[in-house]
Amino acid sequence: MMRGEGRRREEEEEEEEEDSRVALLDDVETAEDEENAAAAKENEEDDDLSLFSSATDLKNKEQLQQILEEERHIKMGNVQVLLLLFVVILFINLMKGGGALKSPLGIRCGSNSFWIANGAMLGWILLISFFARSYLVRKHEIKEAVGFPYVEGDIKWDSRATIVYPVICAAAGFFAGMFGVGGGIVKGPLMLAMGVHPKVSSASSACMILFTSFTATTSFVVFGLLDMDYAAVCMSLGFVATLVGQIGLFYLMEKFQRNSYIAFSIGGIVLLSAFLMTIQSLISMADSGGPRPPSGICTGKQ
């Protein structure tokens, strides 16, 4: 009987050990299942991130290709905005009248309505400038996000450049109006200093002069400061001189393959203009016996 009880006890101990091993195996399998589930979840998350990254890269490449395609052509929307700005300024300038041209709306030169019209022109310019700045900054941010490949001569129109350069151009226009020279004489060297390609600088200056000179001419007509006797002669002379200068400059550039001639020509024109302006001022002061007395803007020729 003692042997039977001992054998029974051994069998019970073996069964307990077997149950412990089974329980341990179950725990190990459960832990492995949990690890496998966690690993699978991580792999799914990695796959989702990879898909998201791939989709983002694809979208950026598509945006970059679209921007590069747009940069190859003239943006007619920008041209239309420029023309709209010019037409509105020209319309207000003629409608308000001046010392020599009576206003079609009956606005008297020097009256409150006259100054309100001038303020409206300035406000219109500032409004277009604000929207143009917002557009340029937004385009710059998109270019930075998609990795736009800037080349030599490209301007990064960030939040700083869209304030500094317009302020400098406004100052150039102000002093050009004061001293009677074209704003392109100042803006040409400015764009060269900004790193703009000489050909682009020359073409942009010519485009700006077209609008600014036309607007300035209408202002001279309105205030009776344009001598019609000289208008035809000066216009013909300017056209012929510009044509000869462009043909000669392009010939030199094609022959010697150098764009520096444009920079030298701009610098020479600026220097020559400053010298001739000084001579003309001295001659005028000598002929009139000294500086001319100040006069109002509404005392033009009738």
Side-chain angles (χ1 to χ4, degrees):
M1 184 173 293
M2 292 294 293
R3 289 180 180 177
E5 290 178 358
R7 188 177 297 115
R8 194 180 308 112
R9 189 177 296 110
E10 290 177 358
E11 291 177 355
E12 291 176 355
E13 290 177 356
E14 289 177 358
E15 289 178 358
E16 289 178 357
E17 290 178 359
E18 184 67 23
D19 292 339
S20 299
R21 284 197 295 269
V22 171
L24 181 61
L25 290 175
D26 291 339
D27 293 339
V28 171
E29 291 177 356
T30 302
E32 290 179 352
D33 292 339
E34 291 177 353
E35 290 179 359
N36 292 334
K41 186 176 181 179
E42 290 179 359
N43 291 333
E44 290 178 359
E45 292 178 352
D46 292 339
D47 292 339
D48 292 339
L49 290 174
S50 178
L51 290 174
F52 177 77
S53 178
S54 300
T56 303
D57 292 340
L58 180 61
K59 183 179 179 180
N60 289 341
K61 289 180 180 179
E62 291 176 352
Q63 280 187 315
L64 179 58
Q65 290 298 327
Q66 182 180 357
I67 293 174
L68 291 174
E69 183 63 26
E70 291 177 354
E71 295 286 333
R72 293 189 179 97
H73 307 282
I74 298 175
K75 298 180 182 178
M76 296 308 300
N78 296 351
V79 177
Q80 292 171 359
V81 172
L82 180 61
L83 290 175
L84 178 63
L85 172 65
F86 171 70
V87 170
V88 172
I89 292 297
L90 188 63
F91 176 79
I92 297 176
N93 198 26
L94 294 176
M95 289 299 102
K96 69 179 177 58
L101 180 67
K102 292 184 178 180
S103 169
L105 303 179
I107 299 175
R108 185 172 54 86
C109 182
S111 63
N112 292 334
S113 300
F114 176 84
W115 293 113
I116 290 174
N118 282 282
M121 286 194 293
L122 181 60
W124 174 246
I125 295 173
L126 292 176
L127 179 64
I128 295 297
S129 300
F130 172 78
F131 283 107
R133 179 182 183 273
S134 301
Y135 169 78
L136 290 173
V137 171
R138 184 170 65 253
K139 290 290 292 184
H140 171 72
E141 292 175 350
I142 294 175
K143 287 181 177 180
E144 290 293 323
V146 300
F148 181 81
Y150 287 95
V151 297
E152 184 180 358
D154 284 343
I155 302 175
K156 294 184 178 181
W157 291 109
D158 53 19
S159 57
R160 178 182 178 275
T162 49
I163 292 179
V164 174
Y165 294 144
V167 169
I168 295 176
C169 288
F174 176 77
F175 288 108
M178 284 185 62
F179 297 109
V181 296
I185 293 180
V186 182
K187 294 173 184 176
L190 172 63
M191 285 188 286
L192 292 177
M194 292 164 58
V196 178
H197 193 279
K199 289 185 178 180
V200 178
S201 174
S202 177
S204 299
S205 298
C207 179
M208 287 187 289
I209 290 173
L210 171 65
F211 292 98
T212 57
S213 297
F214 197 94
T215 306
T217 302
T218 58
S219 296
F220 279 110
V221 172
V222 166
F223 291 109
L225 300 175
L226 182 64
D227 196 335
M228 293 298 180
D229 296 334
Y230 290 99
V233 176
C234 290
M235 181 176 178
S236 301
L237 182 61
F239 178 80
V240 173
T242 302
L243 180 62
V244 173
Q246 289 284 4
I247 294 175
L249 190 60
F250 284 144
Y251 171 77
L252 291 175
M253 291 170 56
E254 289 293 331
K255 182 177 181 179
F256 297 102
Q257 296 296 315
R258 291 178 62 90
N259 293 316
S260 57
Y261 290 114
I262 298 178
F264 289 138
S265 66
I266 293 176
I269 291 173
V270 171
L271 181 62
L272 183 62
S273 298
F275 175 75
L276 293 179
M277 248 185 356
T278 304
I279 298 298
Q280 178 61 34
S281 299
L282 294 175
I283 293 175
S284 298
M285 291 174 62
D287 290 342
S288 61
R292 294 180 180 180
S295 60
I297 60 173
C298 298
T299 58
K301 297 178 182 180
Q302 299 296 326

